[in-house]
Amino acid sequence: MLNVVLFGAPGSGKGTQSERLINEFGLHHISTGEVLRDHIRRGTELGKIADSYISKGQLIPDDLMIRILDDVLDKEAAGKEGVVFDGFPRTIPQAEALKELLLKRGTDLHAVVGLEVPEDELVERMLNRGKQTGRADDNIETIKNRLQVYHNQTHPLREYYTTEGKYLGINGSGNVEEIYNNIAENLAKATGRERKGK
Ligand code: AMP
């Protein structure tokens, strides 16, 4: 098993880099943001609740988010070689819960890849993504709130996972392929895996 958290501020490239990681290492991708957006698109009850938080740039409450992830792991991750968690955990209680959720499935979290990108670049990327994809929360007001929430609630996880010896900080600025190569090299080294893509 290889379970990896792709960590970073909104707009740091977690989605883009997740795709490459799952292809090379044969992993399953779970993006909690995508799970929630899918509920919104389908107009479910959960989608309505999620939308009320996402549209303001706030986090979905921990207990609800953890229950959703537990359910997604049951439905999607059983029998897989491992998971790339994209957008989860975003708070310390979520990190504690992830440990439990993996433990009860007889596995563990192996590494946390942190994409480090300067704030002005994050804003520019999200505004561009908003123009290209129409993603509703990629507007300047919501972006500001999301970055504030990131600093207050999510950034402390960098320290948390550094203390656990799991944090791999990666420069997330610049060329997508170079960033990916850096991620894959560091991850392979830290987890004793062979790279398949090389
Ligand atoms: P993302 O696609 O990861 O940028 O997530 C988009 C939005 O979904 C976030 O701004 C939050 O409102 C919500 N969300 C996604 N993942 C989580 C999570 N782990 N905890 C709480 N809210 C989340």
Side-chain angles (χ1 to χ4, degrees), residues 43-62:
T44 67
E45 275 310 307
L46 175 58
K48 284 176 201 147
I49 297 169
D51 194 31
S52 69
Y53 291 96
I54 293 179
S55 60
K56 298 192 198 97
Q58 293 169 354
L59 297 184
I60 274 67
D62 283 337

Side-chain angles (χ1 to χ4, degrees), residues 36-161:
L36 298 170
R37 281 188 289 278
D38 183 53
H39 274 277
I40 294 173
R41 279 191 289 269
R42 289 189 284 120
T44 67
E45 275 310 307
L46 175 58
K48 284 176 201 147
I49 297 169
D51 194 31
S52 69
Y53 291 96
I54 293 179
S55 60
K56 298 192 198 97
Q58 293 169 354
L59 297 184
I60 274 67
D62 283 337
D63 55 345
L64 178 58
M65 197 66 243
I66 290 161
R67 267 188 282 133
I68 295 169
L69 184 70
D70 197 4
D71 192 47
V72 172
L73 281 171
D74 278 344
K75 288 192 178 126
E76 295 183 8
K80 298 278 163 55
E81 272 187 60
V83 175
V84 173
F85 295 92
D86 162 3
F88 190 100
R90 267 175 150 99
T91 63
I92 303 275
Q94 290 184 15
E96 298 285 350
L98 182 60
K99 202 181 286 181
E100 288 300 312
L101 291 177
L102 292 174
L103 191 68
K104 80 176 183 187
R105 290 170 173 86
T107 184
D108 194 6
L109 178 62
H110 300 97
V112 175
V113 172
L115 293 171
E116 302 180 348
V117 179
E119 187 151 323
D120 49 351
E121 203 175 320
L122 294 172
V123 174
E124 196 184 308
R125 286 189 194 177
M126 282 187 273
L127 288 174
N128 278 335
R129 183 173 61 189
K131 278 188 208 136
Q132 279 163 13
T133 66
R135 187 170 144 173
D137 57 349
D138 281 339
N139 65 77
I140 192 66
E141 276 313 308
T142 312
I143 287 171
K144 282 186 193 158
N145 290 340
R146 286 157 70 200
L147 288 172
Q148 197 60 47
V149 165
Y150 172 77
H151 287 300
N152 294 340
Q153 303 190 56
T154 307
H155 189 71
L157 288 172
R158 185 181 189 275
E159 192 67 36
Y160 175 95
Y161 283 123

